[in-house]
Every structure is written in structure tokens, then in C-alpha cells.
Amino acid sequence: MSPIHASLPVAHTIFSSLRPYQLSVPEVSRDRCLGAAVEVALGIIQGPSVELSRGIIKRSGGNCRILACVGGPCTFGPGSVPHSVKHPNYAYLEKTAMKWMESLGHEAQRHSTVVDIFCAGQCPVRVPVLQPLAKCSGGVLLLHDDFGEAFGVNLQRASTRAAGSHGLFEIRCSDNMLVTQVIGPGEEASPDSHETFKHDSSFCIQMHSVEEAQSFSVSMETKCDIKSDFVFFQFAVHYSNVYQAEITRVITMRLQTVDGLSAYLASVQEDVASVIIGKRTVLRARTASDAIDMRQSIDERVKDIALKFGTQAPKSKLYRFPKELASLPECLFHLKRGPLLGSIIGHEDERSVLRNLFLNTSFDLSLRMLAPRCIMHREGGTFEELPAYDLVMQPNAAVVLDHGTDIFIWLGAELAAQEGQSAAALAACRTLAEELSEQRFPAPRILSFKEALRLDILSHALSQLTKTLLMSRSQGFHNYGRLPLTKGLG
């Protein structure tokens, strides 16, 4: 239980003793006892935390983190599932394993221990079984193609990021406001888990862990007409940091009420509105069929906004989208086509992992996962930010597309043919990609392509909004007809 820096020789000896699997058993049929391994790790963590000298009792567990490196499903011991999904009782056994993993995650959370699960390789890991363990403990579950660079970077960043424990997030607001939904890494706290004041109407969330790379999306409604000039909000966070010190942070703010519709729309931050709408939508997309329904609901939501706040076009039944929210429909279009709800990613497990990450991660990463950022390399080593349309993929250009969990670098055919210039452009783009993701967790994959080699992959990632807008002029509102292009970026 000594710190890793104090036991480096022992750690090196352990890792250097690992050897490749030598038996001929197929990868999917091998026995793995992840549940028992995490139980043992929790027991080791809790062991020394019983009592100290002078009768001082230390909170069991402290702030600890378990990093599980997984190459396949848990198939032996508690929390296990059969090797094959064709097993006659697989559905029942999977449900039982999910409940056990959820219970183990809550046990880890009670002892201030976060469980991060890093999956790698081509063997199915049964994401529905592993997800409850990471989620309930306050950790993350990530999928990797192999145990390569991205896996190593994420493992390193996970082991060094600080996390608080025993966190409570309280929301208070004026009497005429009502908190209707909170989306994020937590659950509603029980009344006996926090102090309350007399006539206190606060909304309290018990946080699974407290980290910088997290966020909560709060939705509110008005109980009645607001007659005052201001509405007041207070957000309080109470938690224990890595040194077991009790920390409290309180933010109190007021928002001015407005009478005019134009002033109201001008006060809306389009990026924030897009992320909140995206999280509310993705939360309901629990299965592949749900995702299809949610894609249809996005069309209806955009239509409702235009009918409520837009203006009707002359001599037409179509409505123009309000100019104050010009970029909102484009962000929602990216959500509809992208990996969260679309079909870019091949397997439902991958989409499930991305959706769970999107619901809990920071605002900046959520925005990039929702709507990619497109940056073009210019002569002289400079960069210019452009709208994420496929028109930017010019044969003489180099483009960086930041999609949050993946960063794509694309070289046009003419540029790729010039060996010296293409090498310089590729190096500059890769440096930019590394700078953009230097502090990001999880660390994104950085993938490079040349035109005519893997153009189809990047074309899926890039928005084809320009084509859709041109086609939709004669197809009615459900295809975003009459919606203006986004405002210039950069």
C-alpha cells in the first residue's frame, strides 16, 4: 500500500514478469474473473484503514482508484456471463451479472474508491455488464482498438487525475423556479445524507466522484409568471479532497428577467443550449431503436422552436429560424448524424460507451462530441477555423477535424503528392492535434488519412450539411428547409 514512487522497483518487477498467453484456447472462451479481482483490490485498500495511533479512526479507503485493464468479458466467478451469447440462459445471467457489478460499484463508491475500466483488443467485453461497475463507482469505461499509444496515454492520465469523494451538489433557486432534471455523474441524495434548513427546498445530488472533467446539466421550469426583475440561483458543492480536507464552494448569482422576445433569444448561449438539448436527447437513447426515435424527435424539436420563435416566410407556410439561434439547428444536425445517435460507429457497445461519456463529461468535450471543430492548415504554418462542411476537403489542403474522442487529419491528393510539403503539413497538423488534446481525458485517437485512401471514413465524420440544405429547399421543414447557415467560426 505504499505510494507508487516509493515502490517502483517492485512495480517494474511485477510488470516485467508478465508474459503473453501461451495456450490455444480462443480469446473469447478464456476464463476471466474481473469481479473477484476488483473485490480483492477493494479489500486490500480497506485493510490498512481501520485505525491509527491515539485512537484516530481513518475513513476507510481514502481516495483511491482501481484501474482495470480488460481484454475480454468476465466469464468466471461473481459478475460473470457465459462465454457465448447463444447460451440458453444468457439474458438472465447477464441481468444477474449487471446487478452484481452495480452492487460492487456502489460498494467501491462508499469506500471512496473509483473504478476505471480500460478495454482493448478485438474480443467483445460485454459492455452492458461492465458499465454499471464504472458508473456507480464514479469511474469511466473506455474502449480501445489495442493496447497501443492511446491506451497508454489514457492509463497514464487516469492514474494522475485527482478526484474528490463524498461529494454533494445542492441547487437552490427562487420560489417561482423548479428544478425538473439533472443529468450528470450522480444520483439524487437521500434526505438524511445532508443537512437541511427549515423550509429548505434545495435539490441535492450525491456525486459519485468529484473531478474537473465532469459536468452537470440542470433543467428548470417556471412554476408561475415571474413578476420580479431578477431570479436568484445558488449552487453549492461540498466534498473531501485527496488530502481528506472538507471543501465547500458556493456560487450565488442572479439573472435579470426581460419582457421582449428578442432580448430573451439574444440572451441564449447557443453552444450551451445545444449541449443541454443533446444530453436530454441522448439520455433517452438507451438502445439502437431508441436512437432512431430520438433522431426523429430532433426534427420535431427544431420545428417547434421555429414555429414558436421564428417568423413566417412571405407567401409561404415555412418558418425562418430565429437569427439569434442560427447555429443551433446545425449543432443538432451533427447530433443526429454523429456517433451519439447516428450510425457512423459500427457496434452498439461503442455507441453506448460514447453516450455515457457524453452525459457525464465536461462542457468543452461534450460540445466537441456533439459538433466537430474543423481547422484548415494554411501556407506558412498557420491555421484557420472553418465550418465543418465537406467543401473544406480541397485537394490542396490539410484539414484537422476535432470530434472530441477522435481527431482526424486529412491530406488532399495534390498536397499528398508533394512529399516535402505534405510531411510538413502533416507534422504541423499532428502538433496542433496534440496541443488541442493535451489535457483532455479521455485522450482522443489521432488518425491520419490521405485522399483516395480512406476518404470514406472522414466523409462520414464531416458534416454534409451544405448538401442537405440545398436538397431541403423543396422537401419541407423536416429536412431543415429555410434554415440559415451557421455564423462564421473563429
Side-chain angles (χ1 to χ4, degrees):
M1 293 303 295
S2 63
I4 190 66
H5 69 270
S7 54
L8 276 179
V10 176
H12 281 301
T13 301
I14 294 174
F15 282 104
S16 62
S17 67
L18 299 177
R19 295 292 182 270
Y21 187 81
Q22 300 293 337
L23 302 180
S24 59
V25 179
E27 191 175 18
V28 71
S29 302
R30 299 171 190 171
D31 289 335
R32 299 177 179 86
C33 48
L34 176 65
V38 174
E39 268 194 319
V40 170
L42 282 174
I44 294 175
I45 290 172
Q46 299 167 28
S49 305
V50 179
E51 66 179 78
L52 301 177
S53 60
R54 300 181 182 179
I56 299 176
I57 304 297
K58 180 184 177 183
R59 178 179 293 150
S60 65
N63 282 27
C64 302
R65 186 179 301 275
I66 295 175
L67 305 178
C69 303
V70 179
C74 178
T75 56
F76 191 81
S80 62
V81 293
H83 296 94
S84 174
V85 294
K86 296 180 180 180
H87 189 282
N89 292 330
Y90 184 85
Y92 170 77
L93 295 174
E94 181 186 52
K95 187 176 181 179
T96 303
M98 291 170 62
K99 289 184 177 180
W100 191 88
M101 288 294 190
E102 181 179 357
S103 175
L104 182 61
H106 284 299
E107 177 69 15
Q109 195 269 336
R110 282 192 294 269
H111 292 283
S112 307
T113 301
V114 175
V115 182
D116 290 331
I117 304 176
F118 299 90
C119 306
Q122 304 303 314
C123 183
V125 295
R126 311 290 188 255
V127 167
V129 176
L130 301 182
Q131 192 74 268
L133 173 58
K135 180 179 179 180
C136 294
S137 67
V140 297
L141 186 151
L142 301 177
L143 300 180
H144 302 83
D145 294 333
D146 51 38
F147 293 93
E149 180 182 2
F151 177 87
V153 172
N154 277 323
L155 192 64
Q156 181 183 34
R157 293 185 183 180
S159 63
T160 56
R161 75 186 199 273
S165 61
H166 302 87
L168 289 175
F169 176 37
E170 295 181 328
I171 305 171
R172 295 179 175 86
C173 49
S174 298
D175 293 337
N176 46 20
M177 299 298 298
L178 176 67
V179 177
T180 58
Q181 187 181 47
V182 178
I183 301 175
E187 56 191 17
E188 187 171 359
S190 58
D192 58 349
S193 64
H194 60 102
E195 298 180 3
T196 57
F197 300 99
K198 190 176 182 179
H199 307 303
D200 185 13
S201 58
S202 66
F203 191 91
C204 188
I205 298 295
Q206 182 176 350
M207 305 171 66
H208 294 150
S209 64
V210 184
E211 301 181 24
E212 290 184 1
Q214 294 176 340
S215 68
F216 287 88
S217 299
V218 182
S219 300
M220 302 181 183
E221 295 180 359
T222 55
K223 296 180 181 178
C224 56
D225 292 340
I226 301 176
K227 299 180 179 180
S228 58
D229 294 333
F230 297 94
V231 177
F232 293 86
F233 301 91
Q234 186 177 81
F235 305 94
V237 178
H238 182 81
Y239 65 96
S240 301
N241 66 8
V242 292
Y243 303 105
Q244 298 297 298
E246 302 294 330
I247 306 296
T248 300
R249 294 287 184 266
V250 181
I251 299 176
T252 304
M253 59 185 301
R254 68 177 187 177
L255 296 180
Q256 185 177 3
T257 57
V258 295
D259 297 326
L261 180 60
S262 178
Y264 168 72
L265 293 176
S267 67
V268 176
Q269 298 182 36
E270 298 165 85
D271 288 348
V272 177
S274 299
V275 170
I276 292 178
I277 293 175
K279 292 196 176 188
R280 287 171 62 98
T281 305
V282 170
L283 181 65
R284 300 172 60 186
R286 300 183 182 275
T287 63
S289 59
D290 291 339
I292 296 176
D293 295 337
M294 290 303 101
R295 291 201 294 268
Q296 297 174 353
S297 73
I298 291 175
D299 292 334
E300 295 300 321
R301 184 162 296 181
V302 172
K303 180 179 179 180
D304 291 340
I305 295 175
L307 293 176
K308 182 70 175 180
F309 301 113
T311 57
Q312 189 170 5
K315 300 179 181 181
S316 174
K317 295 182 179 180
L318 297 180
Y319 281 76
R320 297 184 184 278
F321 209 81
K323 61 180 181 180
E324 295 88 352
L325 306 178
S327 67
L328 180 60
E330 182 178 345
C331 288
L332 297 182
F333 181 82
H334 283 299
L335 170 65
K336 180 180 176 181
R337 291 190 67 256
L340 296 172
L341 296 179
S343 56
I344 292 178
I345 295 180
H347 197 276
E348 181 61 24
D349 280 357
E350 297 174 275
R351 289 190 285 270
S352 174
V353 170
L354 281 182
R355 289 171 193 154
N356 191 73
L357 177 64
F358 174 73
L359 293 174
N360 298 323
T361 194
S362 65
F363 169 76
D364 292 335
L365 182 54
S366 297
L367 181 60
R368 290 285 72 84
M369 294 177 69
L370 181 71
R373 182 185 183 192
C374 185
I375 305 173
M376 177 179 286
H377 178 264
R378 295 295 191 185
E379 293 183 5
T382 61
F383 290 90
E384 179 183 0
E385 187 168 352
L386 298 173
Y389 303 160
D390 56 353
L391 294 178
V392 304
M393 300 170 67
Q394 301 297 320
N396 61 344
V399 177
V400 177
L401 185 76
D402 183 1
H403 213 321
T405 54
D406 295 282
I407 297 181
F408 302 93
I409 301 175
W410 181 85
L411 299 179
E414 294 181 9
L415 178 62
Q418 304 174 28
E419 185 174 348
Q421 293 186 12
S422 64
L426 179 61
C429 289
R430 186 166 184 87
T431 300
L432 175 64
E434 293 173 351
E435 291 176 353
L436 291 173
S437 60
E438 184 177 7
Q439 302 297 328
R440 189 177 300 176
F441 181 81
R445 296 183 303 171
I446 301 177
L447 305 175
S448 303
F449 304 101
K450 293 182 180 181
E451 188 177 11
L453 293 179
R454 298 297 298 278
L455 178 61
D456 55 320
I457 296 180
L458 188 57
S459 294
H460 275 299
L462 279 170
S463 167
Q464 296 185 5
L465 182 59
T466 307
K467 295 180 181 179
T468 305
L469 289 172
L470 293 175
M471 294 172 57
S472 63
R473 291 182 180 177
S474 60
Q475 295 181 5
F477 193 89
H478 67 282
N479 279 332
Y480 302 101
R482 295 287 185 179
L483 298 185
L485 295 177
T486 182
K487 294 181 292 187
L489 300 179

